[in-house]
Amino acid sequence: MIDWLALAESMITSPWLYAVLIAVSCLDSFLPLIPSEPVVIVAGVYAATGDTHIGLVVAATALGAFLGDLVPYAVGRFVGSRSAGRPAPGTKRRAAHDWFVRELDVRGGFVLVTTRFIPFGRYVATFATGLVRYPWAGTRCSSGSPRRPGARTRR
């Protein structure tokens, strides 16, 4: 297995450090077994000493996390488009589907942000938003990208 921390420390003055930060943050978004926190902390410490640029460390980490959120969302969209569409009316699956869509309409950002603190919650939530075809704009906003306050994300 790759020792991400040792790899980052060996590249601390190299521009490749930012590629490592993007990769680790991206993988950590949907594979929690690859922790990005130690690598990001080490890069931040070295940025405080002037060995790296703090703005680039933050940008690379944010980009990696954003790209990592795209993976489960895209998988959910793909699986959702391959399935037969919405479940049949009157079934428990349809009731659960409709409930989740209603909850996302009302509390989409809250659901996506709070599930980040539950193990595998981030993956499950972004996968489910793709599955029910929640607009990418709503998912993107909860991933850290700005939008106009108060704008509705679902039509």
Side-chain angles (χ1 to χ4, degrees):
M1 187 159 95
I2 298 173
D3 185 0
W4 292 101
L5 190 55
L7 181 63
E9 285 181 335
S10 70
M11 297 182 160
I12 214 65
T13 58
S14 168
W16 286 103
L17 169 70
Y18 306 111
V20 170
L21 288 172
I22 291 170
V24 169
S25 296
C26 181
L27 291 172
D28 185 35
S29 294
F30 60 93
L31 292 174
L33 301 174
I34 299 177
S36 64
E37 292 85 1
V39 177
V40 173
I41 290 170
V42 165
V45 168
Y46 278 102
T49 63
D51 291 333
T52 61
H53 190 274
I54 189 67
L56 292 176
V57 168
V58 170
T61 304
L63 177 63
F66 182 73
L67 293 174
D69 283 345
L70 277 175
V71 173
Y73 182 83
V75 170
R77 290 288 287 227
F78 179 76
V79 169
S81 67
R82 295 288 184 201
S83 66
R86 294 178 66 171
T91 63
K92 288 184 180 182
R93 283 187 61 212
R94 176 64 176 266
H97 177 276
D98 292 345
W99 174 83
F100 189 65
V101 169
R102 281 191 312 273
E103 288 299 310
L104 285 176
D105 281 340
V106 176
R107 299 178 190 86
F110 178 76
V111 168
L112 290 169
V113 170
T114 55
T115 55
R116 294 180 183 282
F117 303 102
I118 301 169
F120 294 100
R122 180 180 189 174
Y123 177 80
V124 170
T126 53
F127 173 80
T129 56
L131 193 64
V132 299
R133 306 193 71 74
Y134 187 67
W136 173 241
T139 306
R140 184 188 70 223
C141 293
S142 300
S143 296
S145 169
R147 72 173 176 130
R148 184 174 54 87
R152 291 194 51 101
T153 57
R154 195 177 251 297
R155 293 183 181 110

